Amino acid sequence: MLIMKSFGSIGFLFLVCVYFPIASLFGEEVSFRLSQDQILKGESLELVIRLSGDKPLKLLKNNYEANGVKAIYSGSGSETQIVNFKVSKSKILKFRILTEKPGKNKVPPVQVSVGTDIMTCPELYFTVEAKRPSNNTKRNGSLFDRIFGDPSEEDEKAESPEVVFHTNKQKVYIGEPIVGYYVLYYKGFKQAYLERDPNLSISFPFFLAETLKQVTVQIDSTVIRNGKEKNTLVFEKEIYGLTPLKSGNFTIGSTNFIVGDSMRFGALQESIPVHTEKITVLDLPKGKPADYKGAIGDYLLSADYQSAKIKLGETFYFKIKVSGPGGGVGLDHPLEAKKEGLHFLSSQKSKTFRQLSLGEYGFYSEIEYLYSFEPRTLGRISMGEVAIHFFSPSSQSYQTKTLTLPDISVLPNSLSKQSDSWKATKKANTDWTNNSYLIWFVVLCIFIGVGTKITLRWKENTRAGLTILDQRVGSKKNQILNDYLIKKGVVPKDAEKIVELRSAFAEKSFSEIFRYCDKPTKRMLVETSKLIR
C-alpha cells in the first residue's frame, strides 16, 4: 500500500467512490443497485449492474418486463476504481426502469452472464408516487425560504476554503509518471461548488501532462487538516498523469479555482489560488546501456506468429510485443530491418491506468510491432535476437530484456514442383514437337489467346472485387473490422490478416495493398471480396 504525504495529523489515502452492492455474488464481484428508491409517476430510474474482476460481463436480453414494470438496456461502460492504492477495473451494464403503476414496485428479474454463470437480479423495490409529497411539518414561509432555506435557521459558520494540489509521490525519476489531482477543503457549505477559473491556466513546468479518462478518485469525506475538521471535495473533471522531463525541484499545479456554496442564496463565489505541490525529480543514475533511449518501467518481450513454417514465395508475418508497467516512452521497434526481405510495417501502442502486480496503481503499456519477412532461399533461417533497455524504478537499476526469435523453416512451393514436372514432360516430347512446328505454333497461339483472355477477365474481376472490398470496409479497422468480416463469412485467420494489412497500410486502398502481397494473400483477398459482395 502506498501512503500519501501526511496532511495535518492523519495519513492521506486514495479511496474510490464506489457503489456499495445491494446484492453481491461471487465474493462481492457482482452488484445490482438502483439509482434511487422513490420516483414520481412518469419518471424513470436506472438499474446499475457492476462487475469487478477479470470475468466477462455480458448481456442476455435487451428488455425485461414483469408486473407492469419494464427494464430496457441503456448502455455499458467501465470504470477504474482506486481503493487504498489498489486499483481494479469494473465492467458496468445499465438498464432503464419504467412503469406507470403507483405504489411499491419490483424490478423485473434482469439476467446477465458472468463467465459461464447466469446471474439474476435480486428482489429490488422502488416506490412510484402520483405527485410530490408536501412537507407539512415545516412552517409556511416565503417562496425564497422554501427554495433557499429559512434564513432564521442557524447555519454553522463557513470557514475560509482552500484548494490543494496533491500527487501520489513527491520524489521521482525523470520519465517516471505520477498522478496529480485537486482537492477542496471546506467547512460550513451546504453544497460546495468547485470549478477551475477559466481566466488562468494550469502550470506544470517541465512535466508532460495528460488527463486520465474513466478514473474517479475521492479522498475521505472528512479529514483533519491543520488541526481542524474539514470536508473534502475532489475535482474529478481533471485528474492528471504527469511525466517529469527535467531533473530538479519544481512547484506544480499552480492555478485558480472558483469556490462557493451553490445552495446558499446570495452567497458569493470567489476565485482562490491553489496550494501547489513540491516535487523533486532525480536524474537517472550513471551506467546507461549504449542503446538506452530513456524508457522507464518494467517491461517484458514476447513474439506472436501463426506458424514458423512457410513455403518459398510466401510472406511470414509476425509481431514483437512489449508490455509492462510504465508509460511506454523511449521504446522503439527493437528489430532492425538489416536482413534481406525483412520489413518493419507498423506499430500500435496502448496505455492504461490500472492495478499493477504489487497491488499499487500506475500506468501499464502494451506495444505491438508488426514485421514481414520474405525468404529468398529454402531451409532453416535464423531470425536472430531482439533486446530492449529500460530503467526500473523498483530496482533502481538499468535492465535489458532479450528475446530469441524462432527459426523459420522455408519449404518448397508446390507450384515449383508442378513447374519441374511440366519441364520434364516438355523434354520427353522434344522430338515430336521438332517435327511439328506448325502444330506447335497453332497450339501456342491458341494457348496465348485463351490465357490472355482469362488473365484480362480475372484482372478485371479482381479489380472490381477489390473496389467493392474498399467500399464495404470503409473506415472500419481493428476489432470492428474483424467482427464485420467474420459476420460476412470470412474465416477468423483471414479476417485477422486483413486487419493487419489495413493497419500496416492505413492510407492505401486494397487495390494498392494487393500489389505488395504474396500469392496466398492475394488469393485470400480475392475470395474475401467475393464473400462480402
Side-chain angles (χ1 to χ4, degrees), residues 170-176 206-207 244-250 279-288 292 294-296 391-393 396-398:
Q170 286 74 48
K171 183 177 291 187
V172 294
Y173 289 98
I174 292 179
E176 182 183 358
F206 302 108
F207 280 76
L245 305 175
K246 181 181 178 181
S247 62
N249 296 314
F250 301 98
I279 300 292
T280 299
V281 182
L282 305 175
D283 278 315
L284 295 176
K286 297 180 180 180
K288 301 177 183 178
Y292 178 72
I296 293 182
F391 176 76
S392 170
Q396 299 185 356
S397 63
Y398 294 98

PDB file of all heavy atoms in Angstrom, residues 170-176 206-207 244-250 279-288 292 294-296 391-393 396-398:
ATOM      1  N   GLN A 170       6.296  12.435  -4.101  1.00  0.00           N
ATOM      2  CA  GLN A 170       6.975  13.732  -4.090  1.00  0.00           C
ATOM      3  C   GLN A 170       8.423  13.637  -4.555  1.00  0.00           C
ATOM      4  O   GLN A 170       9.100  14.651  -4.677  1.00  0.00           O
ATOM      5  CB  GLN A 170       6.943  14.339  -2.679  1.00  0.00           C
ATOM      6  CG  GLN A 170       5.584  14.884  -2.256  1.00  0.00           C
ATOM      7  CD  GLN A 170       4.606  13.780  -1.928  1.00  0.00           C
ATOM      8  OE1 GLN A 170       4.935  12.839  -1.196  1.00  0.00           O
ATOM      9  NE2 GLN A 170       3.408  13.872  -2.468  1.00  0.00           N
ATOM     10  N   LYS A 171       8.901  12.414  -4.808  1.00  0.00           N
ATOM     11  CA  LYS A 171      10.269  12.226  -5.301  1.00  0.00           C
ATOM     12  C   LYS A 171      10.235  11.152  -6.385  1.00  0.00           C
ATOM     13  O   LYS A 171       9.854  10.006  -6.125  1.00  0.00           O
ATOM     14  CB  LYS A 171      11.209  11.809  -4.173  1.00  0.00           C
ATOM     15  CG  LYS A 171      12.678  11.674  -4.600  1.00  0.00           C
ATOM     16  CD  LYS A 171      13.567  11.323  -3.421  1.00  0.00           C
ATOM     17  CE  LYS A 171      13.686  12.489  -2.445  1.00  0.00           C
ATOM     18  NZ  LYS A 171      14.689  12.195  -1.378  1.00  0.00           N
ATOM     19  N   VAL A 172      10.614  11.522  -7.617  1.00  0.00           N
ATOM     20  CA  VAL A 172      10.537  10.610  -8.759  1.00  0.00           C
ATOM     21  C   VAL A 172      11.771  10.778  -9.639  1.00  0.00           C
ATOM     22  O   VAL A 172      12.541  11.735  -9.489  1.00  0.00           O
ATOM     23  CB  VAL A 172       9.267  10.871  -9.607  1.00  0.00           C
ATOM     24  CG1 VAL A 172       8.017  10.542  -8.830  1.00  0.00           C
ATOM     25  CG2 VAL A 172       9.236  12.312 -10.097  1.00  0.00           C
ATOM     26  N   TYR A 173      11.941   9.849 -10.573  1.00  0.00           N
ATOM     27  CA  TYR A 173      12.998   9.935 -11.585  1.00  0.00           C
ATOM     28  C   TYR A 173      12.461  10.604 -12.845  1.00  0.00           C
ATOM     29  O   TYR A 173      11.253  10.627 -13.098  1.00  0.00           O
ATOM     30  CB  TYR A 173      13.528   8.548 -11.946  1.00  0.00           C
ATOM     31  CG  TYR A 173      14.360   7.900 -10.864  1.00  0.00           C
ATOM     32  CD1 TYR A 173      13.801   6.964 -10.003  1.00  0.00           C
ATOM     33  CD2 TYR A 173      15.712   8.214 -10.713  1.00  0.00           C
ATOM     34  CE1 TYR A 173      14.560   6.364  -9.000  1.00  0.00           C
ATOM     35  CE2 TYR A 173      16.475   7.627  -9.718  1.00  0.00           C
ATOM     36  CZ  TYR A 173      15.905   6.698  -8.871  1.00  0.00           C
ATOM     37  OH  TYR A 173      16.650   6.110  -7.893  1.00  0.00           O
ATOM     38  N   ILE A 174      13.377  11.130 -13.640  1.00  0.00           N
ATOM     39  CA  ILE A 174      12.989  11.674 -14.945  1.00  0.00           C
ATOM     40  C   ILE A 174      12.288  10.572 -15.751  1.00  0.00           C
ATOM     41  O   ILE A 174      12.795   9.470 -15.876  1.00  0.00           O
ATOM     42  CB  ILE A 174      14.223  12.180 -15.724  1.00  0.00           C
ATOM     43  CG1 ILE A 174      14.814  13.414 -15.041  1.00  0.00           C
ATOM     44  CG2 ILE A 174      13.851  12.531 -17.160  1.00  0.00           C
ATOM     45  CD1 ILE A 174      16.043  13.955 -15.741  1.00  0.00           C
ATOM     46  N   GLY A 175      11.110  10.901 -16.287  1.00  0.00           N
ATOM     47  CA  GLY A 175      10.375   9.944 -17.106  1.00  0.00           C
ATOM     48  C   GLY A 175       9.453   9.017 -16.343  1.00  0.00           C
ATOM     49  O   GLY A 175       8.718   8.236 -16.955  1.00  0.00           O
ATOM     50  N   GLU A 176       9.445   9.088 -15.001  1.00  0.00           N
ATOM     51  CA  GLU A 176       8.578   8.220 -14.199  1.00  0.00           C
ATOM     52  C   GLU A 176       7.241   8.916 -13.958  1.00  0.00           C
ATOM     53  O   GLU A 176       7.175   9.952 -13.312  1.00  0.00           O
ATOM     54  CB  GLU A 176       9.244   7.919 -12.853  1.00  0.00           C
ATOM     55  CG  GLU A 176       8.428   6.988 -11.967  1.00  0.00           C
ATOM     56  CD  GLU A 176       9.077   6.761 -10.612  1.00  0.00           C
ATOM     57  OE1 GLU A 176      10.181   7.301 -10.381  1.00  0.00           O
ATOM     58  OE2 GLU A 176       8.476   6.063  -9.779  1.00  0.00           O
ATOM     59  N   PHE A 206       7.944  21.738 -16.959  1.00  0.00           N
ATOM     60  CA  PHE A 206       8.848  20.618 -17.231  1.00  0.00           C
ATOM     61  C   PHE A 206       8.196  19.261 -16.927  1.00  0.00           C
ATOM     62  O   PHE A 206       8.878  18.303 -16.587  1.00  0.00           O
ATOM     63  CB  PHE A 206      10.157  20.765 -16.444  1.00  0.00           C
ATOM     64  CG  PHE A 206      10.882  22.043 -16.749  1.00  0.00           C
ATOM     65  CD1 PHE A 206      10.916  23.071 -15.818  1.00  0.00           C
ATOM     66  CD2 PHE A 206      11.509  22.228 -17.967  1.00  0.00           C
ATOM     67  CE1 PHE A 206      11.568  24.267 -16.093  1.00  0.00           C
ATOM     68  CE2 PHE A 206      12.169  23.418 -18.252  1.00  0.00           C
ATOM     69  CZ  PHE A 206      12.205  24.428 -17.316  1.00  0.00           C
ATOM     70  N   PHE A 207       6.854  19.206 -17.068  1.00  0.00           N
ATOM     71  CA  PHE A 207       6.123  17.945 -16.941  1.00  0.00           C
ATOM     72  C   PHE A 207       5.240  17.766 -18.177  1.00  0.00           C
ATOM     73  O   PHE A 207       4.615  18.733 -18.638  1.00  0.00           O
ATOM     74  CB  PHE A 207       5.238  17.931 -15.691  1.00  0.00           C
ATOM     75  CG  PHE A 207       5.968  17.623 -14.422  1.00  0.00           C
ATOM     76  CD1 PHE A 207       6.760  18.589 -13.813  1.00  0.00           C
ATOM     77  CD2 PHE A 207       5.878  16.379 -13.820  1.00  0.00           C
ATOM     78  CE1 PHE A 207       7.444  18.329 -12.638  1.00  0.00           C
ATOM     79  CE2 PHE A 207       6.554  16.100 -12.647  1.00  0.00           C
ATOM     80  CZ  PHE A 207       7.341  17.068 -12.058  1.00  0.00           C
ATOM     81  N   PRO A 244       7.691  13.708 -15.572  1.00  0.00           N
ATOM     82  CA  PRO A 244       8.743  14.728 -15.491  1.00  0.00           C
ATOM     83  C   PRO A 244       9.738  14.614 -16.643  1.00  0.00           C
ATOM     84  O   PRO A 244      10.135  13.518 -17.026  1.00  0.00           O
ATOM     85  CB  PRO A 244       9.417  14.441 -14.141  1.00  0.00           C
ATOM     86  CG  PRO A 244       9.100  13.006 -13.858  1.00  0.00           C
ATOM     87  CD  PRO A 244       7.775  12.716 -14.481  1.00  0.00           C
ATOM     88  N   LEU A 245      10.137  15.765 -17.172  1.00  0.00           N
ATOM     89  CA  LEU A 245      11.045  15.811 -18.314  1.00  0.00           C
ATOM     90  C   LEU A 245      12.428  16.356 -17.959  1.00  0.00           C
ATOM     91  O   LEU A 245      13.339  16.283 -18.783  1.00  0.00           O
ATOM     92  CB  LEU A 245      10.438  16.684 -19.424  1.00  0.00           C
ATOM     93  CG  LEU A 245       9.026  16.294 -19.896  1.00  0.00           C
ATOM     94  CD1 LEU A 245       8.518  17.310 -20.910  1.00  0.00           C
ATOM     95  CD2 LEU A 245       9.034  14.896 -20.480  1.00  0.00           C
ATOM     96  N   LYS A 246      12.585  16.879 -16.741  1.00  0.00           N
ATOM     97  CA  LYS A 246      13.851  17.517 -16.364  1.00  0.00           C
ATOM     98  C   LYS A 246      14.069  17.316 -14.873  1.00  0.00           C
ATOM     99  O   LYS A 246      13.115  17.298 -14.087  1.00  0.00           O
ATOM    100  CB  LYS A 246      13.800  19.012 -16.707  1.00  0.00           C
ATOM    101  CG  LYS A 246      15.057  19.775 -16.387  1.00  0.00           C
ATOM    102  CD  LYS A 246      14.896  21.246 -16.752  1.00  0.00           C
ATOM    103  CE  LYS A 246      16.132  22.040 -16.391  1.00  0.00           C
ATOM    104  NZ  LYS A 246      15.975  23.483 -16.728  1.00  0.00           N
ATOM    105  N   SER A 247      15.318  17.146 -14.471  1.00  0.00           N
ATOM    106  CA  SER A 247      15.623  16.979 -13.053  1.00  0.00           C
ATOM    107  C   SER A 247      15.628  18.326 -12.337  1.00  0.00           C
ATOM    108  O   SER A 247      15.829  19.385 -12.942  1.00  0.00           O
ATOM    109  CB  SER A 247      16.980  16.293 -12.886  1.00  0.00           C
ATOM    110  OG  SER A 247      18.010  17.096 -13.445  1.00  0.00           O
ATOM    111  N   GLY A 248      15.389  18.260 -11.016  1.00  0.00           N
ATOM    112  CA  GLY A 248      15.391  19.473 -10.215  1.00  0.00           C
ATOM    113  C   GLY A 248      14.226  19.493  -9.247  1.00  0.00           C
ATOM    114  O   GLY A 248      13.483  18.518  -9.108  1.00  0.00           O
ATOM    115  N   ASN A 249      14.047  20.616  -8.566  1.00  0.00           N
ATOM    116  CA  ASN A 249      12.942  20.812  -7.632  1.00  0.00           C
ATOM    117  C   ASN A 249      11.910  21.729  -8.284  1.00  0.00           C
ATOM    118  O   ASN A 249      12.249  22.830  -8.742  1.00  0.00           O
ATOM    119  CB  ASN A 249      13.443  21.427  -6.321  1.00  0.00           C
ATOM    120  CG  ASN A 249      14.393  20.498  -5.591  1.00  0.00           C
ATOM    121  OD1 ASN A 249      14.123  19.309  -5.448  1.00  0.00           O
ATOM    122  ND2 ASN A 249      15.515  21.042  -5.122  1.00  0.00           N
ATOM    123  N   PHE A 250      10.662  21.274  -8.325  1.00  0.00           N
ATOM    124  CA  PHE A 250       9.631  22.017  -9.041  1.00  0.00           C
ATOM    125  C   PHE A 250       8.402  22.205  -8.160  1.00  0.00           C
ATOM    126  O   PHE A 250       8.096  21.379  -7.294  1.00  0.00           O
ATOM    127  CB  PHE A 250       9.224  21.278 -10.322  1.00  0.00           C
ATOM    128  CG  PHE A 250      10.360  21.058 -11.275  1.00  0.00           C
ATOM    129  CD1 PHE A 250      11.022  19.833 -11.292  1.00  0.00           C
ATOM    130  CD2 PHE A 250      10.772  22.058 -12.129  1.00  0.00           C
ATOM    131  CE1 PHE A 250      12.070  19.618 -12.165  1.00  0.00           C
ATOM    132  CE2 PHE A 250      11.822  21.850 -13.010  1.00  0.00           C
ATOM    133  CZ  PHE A 250      12.475  20.634 -13.022  1.00  0.00           C
ATOM    134  N   ILE A 279       7.785  18.978  -5.959  1.00  0.00           N
ATOM    135  CA  ILE A 279       8.244  17.690  -6.473  1.00  0.00           C
ATOM    136  C   ILE A 279       9.752  17.736  -6.704  1.00  0.00           C
ATOM    137  O   ILE A 279      10.272  18.714  -7.246  1.00  0.00           O
ATOM    138  CB  ILE A 279       7.542  17.332  -7.798  1.00  0.00           C
ATOM    139  CG1 ILE A 279       6.038  17.248  -7.599  1.00  0.00           C
ATOM    140  CG2 ILE A 279       8.070  16.018  -8.350  1.00  0.00           C
ATOM    141  CD1 ILE A 279       5.592  16.093  -6.752  1.00  0.00           C
ATOM    142  N   THR A 280      10.433  16.684  -6.274  1.00  0.00           N
ATOM    143  CA  THR A 280      11.864  16.537  -6.554  1.00  0.00           C
ATOM    144  C   THR A 280      12.035  15.481  -7.644  1.00  0.00           C
ATOM    145  O   THR A 280      11.605  14.341  -7.484  1.00  0.00           O
ATOM    146  CB  THR A 280      12.640  16.111  -5.299  1.00  0.00           C
ATOM    147  OG1 THR A 280      12.489  17.119  -4.289  1.00  0.00           O
ATOM    148  CG2 THR A 280      14.116  15.931  -5.610  1.00  0.00           C
ATOM    149  N   VAL A 281      12.643  15.885  -8.752  1.00  0.00           N
ATOM    150  CA  VAL A 281      12.872  14.977  -9.883  1.00  0.00           C
ATOM    151  C   VAL A 281      14.363  14.648  -9.936  1.00  0.00           C
ATOM    152  O   VAL A 281      15.205  15.551 -10.022  1.00  0.00           O
ATOM    153  CB  VAL A 281      12.413  15.592 -11.215  1.00  0.00           C
ATOM    154  CG1 VAL A 281      12.626  14.606 -12.364  1.00  0.00           C
ATOM    155  CG2 VAL A 281      10.951  16.012 -11.132  1.00  0.00           C
ATOM    156  N   LEU A 282      14.666  13.349  -9.849  1.00  0.00           N
ATOM    157  CA  LEU A 282      16.055  12.895  -9.807  1.00  0.00           C
ATOM    158  C   LEU A 282      16.559  12.522 -11.189  1.00  0.00           C
ATOM    159  O   LEU A 282      15.802  12.017 -12.032  1.00  0.00           O
ATOM    160  CB  LEU A 282      16.180  11.677  -8.884  1.00  0.00           C
ATOM    161  CG  LEU A 282      15.655  11.849  -7.452  1.00  0.00           C
ATOM    162  CD1 LEU A 282      15.751  10.523  -6.712  1.00  0.00           C
ATOM    163  CD2 LEU A 282      16.428  12.937  -6.723  1.00  0.00           C
ATOM    164  N   ASP A 283      17.845  12.764 -11.421  1.00  0.00           N
ATOM    165  CA  ASP A 283      18.492  12.284 -12.644  1.00  0.00           C
ATOM    166  C   ASP A 283      18.604  10.763 -12.597  1.00  0.00           C
ATOM    167  O   ASP A 283      18.726  10.161 -11.519  1.00  0.00           O
ATOM    168  CB  ASP A 283      19.893  12.880 -12.784  1.00  0.00           C
ATOM    169  CG  ASP A 283      19.856  14.281 -13.368  1.00  0.00           C
ATOM    170  OD1 ASP A 283      19.121  14.490 -14.353  1.00  0.00           O
ATOM    171  OD2 ASP A 283      20.557  15.163 -12.827  1.00  0.00           O
ATOM    172  N   LEU A 284      18.588  10.141 -13.752  1.00  0.00           N
ATOM    173  CA  LEU A 284      18.823   8.704 -13.807  1.00  0.00           C
ATOM    174  C   LEU A 284      20.278   8.422 -13.446  1.00  0.00           C
ATOM    175  O   LEU A 284      21.170   9.224 -13.755  1.00  0.00           O
ATOM    176  CB  LEU A 284      18.510   8.168 -15.208  1.00  0.00           C
ATOM    177  CG  LEU A 284      17.037   8.266 -15.645  1.00  0.00           C
ATOM    178  CD1 LEU A 284      16.885   7.789 -17.076  1.00  0.00           C
ATOM    179  CD2 LEU A 284      16.154   7.459 -14.718  1.00  0.00           C
ATOM    180  N   PRO A 285      20.544   7.313 -12.787  1.00  0.00           N
ATOM    181  CA  PRO A 285      21.924   7.013 -12.386  1.00  0.00           C
ATOM    182  C   PRO A 285      22.829   6.774 -13.595  1.00  0.00           C
ATOM    183  O   PRO A 285      22.370   6.551 -14.716  1.00  0.00           O
ATOM    184  CB  PRO A 285      21.777   5.754 -11.537  1.00  0.00           C
ATOM    185  CG  PRO A 285      20.501   5.138 -11.978  1.00  0.00           C
ATOM    186  CD  PRO A 285      19.603   6.267 -12.354  1.00  0.00           C
ATOM    187  N   LYS A 286      24.119   6.783 -13.345  1.00  0.00           N
ATOM    188  CA  LYS A 286      25.087   6.542 -14.403  1.00  0.00           C
ATOM    189  C   LYS A 286      25.111   5.055 -14.768  1.00  0.00           C
ATOM    190  O   LYS A 286      24.567   4.225 -14.064  1.00  0.00           O
ATOM    191  CB  LYS A 286      26.471   7.001 -13.961  1.00  0.00           C
ATOM    192  CG  LYS A 286      26.573   8.503 -13.694  1.00  0.00           C
ATOM    193  CD  LYS A 286      27.970   8.894 -13.258  1.00  0.00           C
ATOM    194  CE  LYS A 286      28.073  10.390 -12.999  1.00  0.00           C
ATOM    195  NZ  LYS A 286      29.442  10.783 -12.565  1.00  0.00           N
ATOM    196  N   GLY A 287      25.784   4.771 -15.882  1.00  0.00           N
ATOM    197  CA  GLY A 287      25.883   3.384 -16.332  1.00  0.00           C
ATOM    198  C   GLY A 287      24.804   2.989 -17.312  1.00  0.00           C
ATOM    199  O   GLY A 287      24.397   1.819 -17.372  1.00  0.00           O
ATOM    200  N   LYS A 288      24.319   3.955 -18.108  1.00  0.00           N
ATOM    201  CA  LYS A 288      23.273   3.633 -19.078  1.00  0.00           C
ATOM    202  C   LYS A 288      23.814   2.705 -20.161  1.00  0.00           C
ATOM    203  O   LYS A 288      24.941   2.873 -20.626  1.00  0.00           O
ATOM    204  CB  LYS A 288      22.759   4.917 -19.736  1.00  0.00           C
ATOM    205  CG  LYS A 288      22.188   5.939 -18.783  1.00  0.00           C
ATOM    206  CD  LYS A 288      21.783   7.201 -19.521  1.00  0.00           C
ATOM    207  CE  LYS A 288      21.265   8.254 -18.546  1.00  0.00           C
ATOM    208  NZ  LYS A 288      20.907   9.517 -19.240  1.00  0.00           N
ATOM    209  N   TYR A 292      20.295   2.662 -24.756  1.00  0.00           N
ATOM    210  CA  TYR A 292      19.221   3.153 -23.902  1.00  0.00           C
ATOM    211  C   TYR A 292      18.669   4.467 -24.463  1.00  0.00           C
ATOM    212  O   TYR A 292      19.423   5.388 -24.803  1.00  0.00           O
ATOM    213  CB  TYR A 292      19.729   3.367 -22.483  1.00  0.00           C
ATOM    214  CG  TYR A 292      18.691   3.928 -21.539  1.00  0.00           C
ATOM    215  CD1 TYR A 292      17.638   3.135 -21.104  1.00  0.00           C
ATOM    216  CD2 TYR A 292      18.753   5.246 -21.108  1.00  0.00           C
ATOM    217  CE1 TYR A 292      16.675   3.642 -20.239  1.00  0.00           C
ATOM    218  CE2 TYR A 292      17.808   5.765 -20.246  1.00  0.00           C
ATOM    219  CZ  TYR A 292      16.766   4.945 -19.819  1.00  0.00           C
ATOM    220  OH  TYR A 292      15.813   5.458 -18.970  1.00  0.00           O
ATOM    221  N   GLY A 294      15.827   6.182 -22.928  1.00  0.00           N
ATOM    222  CA  GLY A 294      15.027   6.918 -21.954  1.00  0.00           C
ATOM    223  C   GLY A 294      13.811   6.193 -21.424  1.00  0.00           C
ATOM    224  O   GLY A 294      12.995   6.785 -20.709  1.00  0.00           O
ATOM    225  N   ALA A 295      13.648   4.906 -21.726  1.00  0.00           N
ATOM    226  CA  ALA A 295      12.481   4.157 -21.250  1.00  0.00           C
ATOM    227  C   ALA A 295      12.583   3.892 -19.754  1.00  0.00           C
ATOM    228  O   ALA A 295      13.641   3.531 -19.241  1.00  0.00           O
ATOM    229  CB  ALA A 295      12.363   2.836 -22.001  1.00  0.00           C
ATOM    230  N   ILE A 296      11.437   4.060 -19.051  1.00  0.00           N
ATOM    231  CA  ILE A 296      11.370   3.794 -17.611  1.00  0.00           C
ATOM    232  C   ILE A 296      10.167   2.902 -17.346  1.00  0.00           C
ATOM    233  O   ILE A 296       9.055   3.166 -17.814  1.00  0.00           O
ATOM    234  CB  ILE A 296      11.243   5.101 -16.809  1.00  0.00           C
ATOM    235  CG1 ILE A 296      12.522   5.926 -16.939  1.00  0.00           C
ATOM    236  CG2 ILE A 296      10.962   4.816 -15.346  1.00  0.00           C
ATOM    237  CD1 ILE A 296      12.509   7.205 -16.146  1.00  0.00           C
ATOM    238  N   PHE A 391      15.098   1.630 -17.597  1.00  0.00           N
ATOM    239  CA  PHE A 391      15.460   1.828 -16.198  1.00  0.00           C
ATOM    240  C   PHE A 391      14.282   1.404 -15.338  1.00  0.00           C
ATOM    241  O   PHE A 391      13.150   1.826 -15.552  1.00  0.00           O
ATOM    242  CB  PHE A 391      15.801   3.289 -15.919  1.00  0.00           C
ATOM    243  CG  PHE A 391      16.093   3.575 -14.463  1.00  0.00           C
ATOM    244  CD1 PHE A 391      17.300   3.207 -13.900  1.00  0.00           C
ATOM    245  CD2 PHE A 391      15.134   4.186 -13.664  1.00  0.00           C
ATOM    246  CE1 PHE A 391      17.567   3.460 -12.553  1.00  0.00           C
ATOM    247  CE2 PHE A 391      15.388   4.453 -12.328  1.00  0.00           C
ATOM    248  CZ  PHE A 391      16.604   4.083 -11.775  1.00  0.00           C
ATOM    249  N   SER A 392      14.529   0.557 -14.345  1.00  0.00           N
ATOM    250  CA  SER A 392      13.479   0.047 -13.466  1.00  0.00           C
ATOM    251  C   SER A 392      13.484   0.829 -12.154  1.00  0.00           C
ATOM    252  O   SER A 392      14.429   0.710 -11.362  1.00  0.00           O
ATOM    253  CB  SER A 392      13.695  -1.443 -13.192  1.00  0.00           C
ATOM    254  OG  SER A 392      12.822  -1.900 -12.177  1.00  0.00           O
ATOM    255  N   PRO A 393      12.433   1.635 -11.877  1.00  0.00           N
ATOM    256  CA  PRO A 393      12.392   2.360 -10.602  1.00  0.00           C
ATOM    257  C   PRO A 393      12.318   1.428  -9.395  1.00  0.00           C
ATOM    258  O   PRO A 393      12.816   1.763  -8.317  1.00  0.00           O
ATOM    259  CB  PRO A 393      11.113   3.212 -10.710  1.00  0.00           C
ATOM    260  CG  PRO A 393      10.828   3.303 -12.170  1.00  0.00           C
ATOM    261  CD  PRO A 393      11.306   2.011 -12.754  1.00  0.00           C
ATOM    262  N   GLN A 396      15.807   0.296  -9.092  1.00  0.00           N
ATOM    263  CA  GLN A 396      16.720   1.433  -9.227  1.00  0.00           C
ATOM    264  C   GLN A 396      17.969   1.047 -10.008  1.00  0.00           C
ATOM    265  O   GLN A 396      19.096   1.392  -9.645  1.00  0.00           O
ATOM    266  CB  GLN A 396      17.094   1.993  -7.849  1.00  0.00           C
ATOM    267  CG  GLN A 396      15.918   2.507  -7.057  1.00  0.00           C
ATOM    268  CD  GLN A 396      16.321   3.153  -5.747  1.00  0.00           C
ATOM    269  OE1 GLN A 396      17.490   3.159  -5.373  1.00  0.00           O
ATOM    270  NE2 GLN A 396      15.358   3.701  -5.033  1.00  0.00           N
ATOM    271  N   SER A 397      17.753   0.337 -11.116  1.00  0.00           N
ATOM    272  CA  SER A 397      18.865  -0.091 -11.958  1.00  0.00           C
ATOM    273  C   SER A 397      18.392  -0.217 -13.399  1.00  0.00           C
ATOM    274  O   SER A 397      17.191  -0.300 -13.673  1.00  0.00           O
ATOM    275  CB  SER A 397      19.418  -1.437 -11.481  1.00  0.00           C
ATOM    276  OG  SER A 397      18.427  -2.452 -11.595  1.00  0.00           O
ATOM    277  N   TYR A 398      19.361  -0.240 -14.313  1.00  0.00           N
ATOM    278  CA  TYR A 398      19.052  -0.428 -15.725  1.00  0.00           C
ATOM    279  C   TYR A 398      18.871  -1.924 -16.004  1.00  0.00           C
ATOM    280  O   TYR A 398      19.602  -2.761 -15.480  1.00  0.00           O
ATOM    281  CB  TYR A 398      20.168   0.135 -16.606  1.00  0.00           C
ATOM    282  CG  TYR A 398      20.288   1.637 -16.510  1.00  0.00           C
ATOM    283  CD1 TYR A 398      21.231   2.235 -15.678  1.00  0.00           C
ATOM    284  CD2 TYR A 398      19.447   2.458 -17.249  1.00  0.00           C
ATOM    285  CE1 TYR A 398      21.340   3.609 -15.591  1.00  0.00           C
ATOM    286  CE2 TYR A 398      19.546   3.847 -17.160  1.00  0.00           C
ATOM    287  CZ  TYR A 398      20.490   4.405 -16.329  1.00  0.00           C
ATOM    288  OH  TYR A 398      20.582   5.771 -16.232  1.00  0.00           O
TER     289      TYR A 398
END
